[in-house]
Amino acid sequence: MSLRIKTPKTGRAKREVFKRAPKLVETGKKTLICHGTKSSNVLNAVLTEIYHLKKDNAVKYTRKNDKIRPFESGGETSLEFYSLKTDCSIFVFGSHSKKRPDNLVIGRTYDHHIYDLVEVGVENFKSMKSFSYDKKLAPMIGSKPFFAFIGEGFDNIVELKHLKEVLLDLFRGEAVTNLNLAGLDRVYVCTAVSSNKVFFTHCALRLKRSGTIVPRMELVEVGPSMDLVVRRHRLPDESLKKESMRTAPELAKKKEKNVSRDAIQGKIGKIYVPDQKVGDTALPNKAKGVKRERREAKNKSESNKQESKKQKQDSE
């Protein structure tokens, strides 16, 4: 039985296939937001607020999904199908049960297959509406955020280290090389309260005059804010991680020979100068003594030639 391959026939289908094709420089990652069979008011509010923060690059499903269980074998099939259908590489799945109340699963996919998972419990949730502030400070949709990770646990504890990577991928948006300072209007602050608990909040950034080129920054909490308690997590397989971290040969940086970089001095290079052959260089003004020596050497060579000729004649 041969597999049937469908090719796009319309221009719209061709453009859609081209958008989903692999690229040398990938665009921002889309986020899929969905929930399971049972949910709570708190969890519905959390998913809605995450959707508003990612509104420019997110897809939200409102129907209940009975078959999605990310940590169980076979329970991720529907999730991978939705990821392929919506072209989303990050997902946020919410579920509520007696054993795990207000449960939130954040995960990433590679080639539309589950890459890694982090499960957290939501506590002390405060929505955007509960904060009072000047509405002019509200962050704009699509603006680039700052991230502040406070605490040694994000470097020492595996669970918090993994949560840090997933949160960065979830909220950072598209990778850019240059930034406009006026477009930086929000900060995500994550504080490691304990070995498995993180305080997460969203703040607006207010720039004020400081008398120097660098402005003075003030943070105004605009929400949402919540405590994230790490419950379960699943790291990616080493072979899969190695494959996902590969870079295209066209983007690989060529190694600069004899160049090193230092945090203080910056770029340092070594220049190799070949040996100078001074004896072979032509001098502009030659000394008279040199000319006399050459004349004497010439006369000596001529006399030696004449003596060799006489010796040959005498021998004959």
Side-chain angles (χ1 to χ4, degrees):
M1 182 179 178
S2 60
L3 294 174
R4 185 180 175 185
I5 300 173
K6 293 183 179 181
T7 57
K9 296 179 181 179
T10 62
R12 182 179 178 183
K14 289 179 181 178
R15 288 192 296 271
E16 192 65 27
V17 171
F18 179 75
K19 285 181 184 179
R20 300 189 180 195
K23 304 176 183 63
L24 289 176
V25 180
E26 293 289 345
T27 54
K29 297 180 179 179
K30 290 177 65 178
T31 304
L32 173 65
I33 300 172
C34 56
H35 58 83
T37 308
K38 292 183 180 180
S39 183
S40 63
N41 295 331
V42 173
L43 203 58
N44 290 337
V46 171
L47 294 176
T48 304
E49 304 254 322
I50 292 174
Y51 175 68
H52 283 304
L53 294 174
K54 296 270 299 178
K55 199 169 186 178
D56 59 327
N57 212 4
V59 178
K60 187 174 183 294
Y61 283 174
T62 56
R63 291 186 178 181
K64 296 179 180 179
N65 299 280
D66 302 336
K67 299 179 180 178
I68 296 179
R69 292 176 179 83
F71 281 92
E72 296 180 11
S73 59
E76 69 275 3
T77 308
S78 299
L79 195 58
E80 292 175 352
F81 171 74
Y82 293 143
S83 172
L84 177 62
K85 183 180 178 180
T86 57
D87 193 25
C88 293
S89 55
I90 303 176
F91 64 88
V92 180
F93 175 74
S95 61
H96 179 74
S97 63
K98 187 177 180 180
K99 187 178 180 181
R100 294 186 178 90
D102 299 329
N103 199 49
L104 207 64
V105 179
I106 308 171
R108 296 178 289 182
T109 61
Y110 174 71
D111 196 17
H112 302 295
H113 294 285
I114 299 296
Y115 179 73
D116 60 351
L117 297 168
V118 176
E119 185 182 63
V120 294
V122 178
E123 297 178 357
N124 303 324
F125 172 73
K126 293 181 181 179
S127 63
M128 295 181 185
K129 295 179 181 179
S130 61
F131 293 91
S132 59
Y133 57 92
D134 186 4
K135 298 304 176 183
K136 293 181 181 179
L137 296 175
M140 297 179 291
I141 296 175
S143 60
K144 292 294 289 183
F146 277 117
F147 284 91
F149 291 94
I150 304 169
E152 296 180 356
F154 291 110
D155 297 325
N156 303 330
I157 303 171
V158 179
E159 290 83 357
L160 298 185
K161 203 173 182 180
H162 190 198
L163 180 63
K164 176 183 175 181
E165 293 180 6
V166 174
L167 289 176
L168 279 173
D169 259 1
L170 178 62
F171 291 107
R172 71 176 178 179
E174 188 174 350
V176 294
T177 54
N178 297 321
L179 280 176
N180 186 4
L181 190 61
L184 298 171
D185 58 354
R186 66 174 71 189
V187 181
Y188 291 105
V189 182
C190 302
T191 307
V193 180
S194 63
S195 60
N196 67 334
K197 192 174 185 178
V198 174
F199 173 67
F200 175 86
T201 186
H202 180 221
C203 301
L205 186 64
R206 181 188 291 175
L207 302 178
K208 288 192 172 183
R209 294 181 180 178
S210 62
T212 60
I213 299 175
V214 181
R216 185 166 60 90
M217 301 183 190
E218 286 187 0
L219 298 182
V220 180
E221 196 170 5
V222 297
S225 71
M226 66 192 94
D227 290 335
L228 302 177
V229 181
V230 181
R231 290 173 177 166
R232 290 184 293 178
H233 78 112
R234 190 173 76 190
L235 294 171
D237 186 56
E238 288 297 328
S239 59
L240 183 63
K241 185 177 181 180
K242 187 176 181 181
E243 184 181 355
S244 64
M245 297 293 285
R246 275 191 315 180
T247 56
E250 294 85 351
L251 296 178
K253 292 183 179 180
K254 294 183 179 179
K255 187 178 179 181
E256 294 181 293
K257 293 183 178 180
N258 307 322
V259 174
S260 61
R261 298 183 184 276
D262 187 69
I264 300 174
Q265 298 181 359
K267 190 175 180 180
I268 303 171
K270 293 182 180 180
I271 300 174
Y272 292 93
V273 181
D275 295 335
Q276 296 181 357
K277 298 179 181 180
V278 183
D280 297 340
T281 56
L283 300 176
N285 298 320
K286 295 182 180 180
K288 293 182 180 179
V290 176
K291 293 181 180 180
R292 186 176 64 252
E293 290 176 0
R294 288 181 179 176
R295 190 166 53 250
E296 291 175 356
K298 185 178 180 182
N299 294 333
K300 189 175 180 180
S301 62
E302 289 178 356
S303 62
N304 291 336
K305 287 180 181 179
Q306 290 177 1
E307 289 178 1
S308 61
K309 286 181 181 180
K310 286 181 180 180
Q311 289 177 2
K312 286 181 180 181
Q313 291 176 359
D314 293 340
S315 63
E316 290 176 356

PDB file of all heavy atoms in Angstrom, residues 151-161:
ATOM      1  N   GLY A 151      17.197  35.019  42.801  1.00  0.00           N
ATOM      2  CA  GLY A 151      17.403  33.834  43.640  1.00  0.00           C
ATOM      3  C   GLY A 151      18.417  32.880  43.041  1.00  0.00           C
ATOM      4  O   GLY A 151      18.509  32.725  41.817  1.00  0.00           O
ATOM      5  N   GLU A 152      19.196  32.250  43.917  1.00  0.00           N
ATOM      6  CA  GLU A 152      20.216  31.303  43.469  1.00  0.00           C
ATOM      7  C   GLU A 152      19.624  29.988  42.977  1.00  0.00           C
ATOM      8  O   GLU A 152      20.308  29.212  42.307  1.00  0.00           O
ATOM      9  CB  GLU A 152      21.189  31.018  44.610  1.00  0.00           C
ATOM     10  CG  GLU A 152      21.984  32.232  45.069  1.00  0.00           C
ATOM     11  CD  GLU A 152      22.931  31.908  46.197  1.00  0.00           C
ATOM     12  OE1 GLU A 152      22.894  30.743  46.660  1.00  0.00           O
ATOM     13  OE2 GLU A 152      23.703  32.792  46.601  1.00  0.00           O
ATOM     14  N   GLY A 153      18.361  29.722  43.324  1.00  0.00           N
ATOM     15  CA  GLY A 153      17.742  28.462  42.924  1.00  0.00           C
ATOM     16  C   GLY A 153      17.633  28.294  41.425  1.00  0.00           C
ATOM     17  O   GLY A 153      17.631  27.161  40.919  1.00  0.00           O
ATOM     18  N   PHE A 154      17.563  29.408  40.674  1.00  0.00           N
ATOM     19  CA  PHE A 154      17.468  29.314  39.219  1.00  0.00           C
ATOM     20  C   PHE A 154      18.770  28.842  38.582  1.00  0.00           C
ATOM     21  O   PHE A 154      18.804  28.515  37.400  1.00  0.00           O
ATOM     22  CB  PHE A 154      17.072  30.677  38.633  1.00  0.00           C
ATOM     23  CG  PHE A 154      15.658  31.080  38.953  1.00  0.00           C
ATOM     24  CD1 PHE A 154      15.405  32.118  39.818  1.00  0.00           C
ATOM     25  CD2 PHE A 154      14.584  30.405  38.391  1.00  0.00           C
ATOM     26  CE1 PHE A 154      14.104  32.505  40.108  1.00  0.00           C
ATOM     27  CE2 PHE A 154      13.284  30.773  38.678  1.00  0.00           C
ATOM     28  CZ  PHE A 154      13.042  31.824  39.546  1.00  0.00           C
ATOM     29  N   ASP A 155      19.854  28.825  39.348  1.00  0.00           N
ATOM     30  CA  ASP A 155      21.144  28.329  38.850  1.00  0.00           C
ATOM     31  C   ASP A 155      21.544  27.003  39.463  1.00  0.00           C
ATOM     32  O   ASP A 155      22.329  26.260  38.873  1.00  0.00           O
ATOM     33  CB  ASP A 155      22.243  29.365  39.121  1.00  0.00           C
ATOM     34  CG  ASP A 155      21.994  30.677  38.389  1.00  0.00           C
ATOM     35  OD1 ASP A 155      21.469  30.631  37.260  1.00  0.00           O
ATOM     36  OD2 ASP A 155      22.312  31.739  38.963  1.00  0.00           O
ATOM     37  N   ASN A 156      21.012  26.678  40.649  1.00  0.00           N
ATOM     38  CA  ASN A 156      21.457  25.490  41.379  1.00  0.00           C
ATOM     39  C   ASN A 156      20.457  24.337  41.345  1.00  0.00           C
ATOM     40  O   ASN A 156      20.853  23.173  41.300  1.00  0.00           O
ATOM     41  CB  ASN A 156      21.748  25.849  42.849  1.00  0.00           C
ATOM     42  CG  ASN A 156      22.783  26.950  42.967  1.00  0.00           C
ATOM     43  OD1 ASN A 156      23.657  27.078  42.118  1.00  0.00           O
ATOM     44  ND2 ASN A 156      22.687  27.751  44.015  1.00  0.00           N
ATOM     45  N   ILE A 157      19.153  24.634  41.375  1.00  0.00           N
ATOM     46  CA  ILE A 157      18.121  23.598  41.438  1.00  0.00           C
ATOM     47  C   ILE A 157      17.645  23.255  40.038  1.00  0.00           C
ATOM     48  O   ILE A 157      17.325  24.152  39.235  1.00  0.00           O
ATOM     49  CB  ILE A 157      16.947  24.069  42.316  1.00  0.00           C
ATOM     50  CG1 ILE A 157      17.457  24.447  43.719  1.00  0.00           C
ATOM     51  CG2 ILE A 157      15.872  22.999  42.412  1.00  0.00           C
ATOM     52  CD1 ILE A 157      16.427  25.110  44.597  1.00  0.00           C
ATOM     53  N   VAL A 158      17.582  21.970  39.714  1.00  0.00           N
ATOM     54  CA  VAL A 158      17.253  21.519  38.365  1.00  0.00           C
ATOM     55  C   VAL A 158      15.831  21.924  37.981  1.00  0.00           C
ATOM     56  O   VAL A 158      15.582  22.391  36.864  1.00  0.00           O
ATOM     57  CB  VAL A 158      17.433  19.986  38.253  1.00  0.00           C
ATOM     58  CG1 VAL A 158      17.069  19.507  36.856  1.00  0.00           C
ATOM     59  CG2 VAL A 158      18.858  19.589  38.604  1.00  0.00           C
ATOM     60  N   GLU A 159      14.873  21.760  38.913  1.00  0.00           N
ATOM     61  CA  GLU A 159      13.475  22.070  38.610  1.00  0.00           C
ATOM     62  C   GLU A 159      13.289  23.545  38.272  1.00  0.00           C
ATOM     63  O   GLU A 159      12.620  23.901  37.292  1.00  0.00           O
ATOM     64  CB  GLU A 159      12.576  21.686  39.788  1.00  0.00           C
ATOM     65  CG  GLU A 159      12.435  20.192  40.018  1.00  0.00           C
ATOM     66  CD  GLU A 159      13.585  19.617  40.821  1.00  0.00           C
ATOM     67  OE1 GLU A 159      14.520  20.391  41.144  1.00  0.00           O
ATOM     68  OE2 GLU A 159      13.561  18.405  41.124  1.00  0.00           O
ATOM     69  N   LEU A 160      13.892  24.429  39.083  1.00  0.00           N
ATOM     70  CA  LEU A 160      13.762  25.867  38.838  1.00  0.00           C
ATOM     71  C   LEU A 160      14.540  26.297  37.594  1.00  0.00           C
ATOM     72  O   LEU A 160      14.129  27.214  36.881  1.00  0.00           O
ATOM     73  CB  LEU A 160      14.238  26.658  40.059  1.00  0.00           C
ATOM     74  CG  LEU A 160      13.465  26.429  41.363  1.00  0.00           C
ATOM     75  CD1 LEU A 160      13.957  27.372  42.448  1.00  0.00           C
ATOM     76  CD2 LEU A 160      11.971  26.598  41.142  1.00  0.00           C
ATOM     77  N   LYS A 161      15.637  25.634  37.355  1.00  0.00           N
ATOM     78  CA  LYS A 161      16.413  25.922  36.140  1.00  0.00           C
ATOM     79  C   LYS A 161      15.604  25.586  34.894  1.00  0.00           C
ATOM     80  O   LYS A 161      15.587  26.343  33.905  1.00  0.00           O
ATOM     81  CB  LYS A 161      17.711  25.104  36.175  1.00  0.00           C
ATOM     82  CG  LYS A 161      18.833  25.646  35.331  1.00  0.00           C
ATOM     83  CD  LYS A 161      20.092  24.848  35.597  1.00  0.00           C
ATOM     84  CE  LYS A 161      21.244  25.406  34.796  1.00  0.00           C
ATOM     85  NZ  LYS A 161      22.485  24.635  35.035  1.00  0.00           N
TER      86      LYS A 161
END
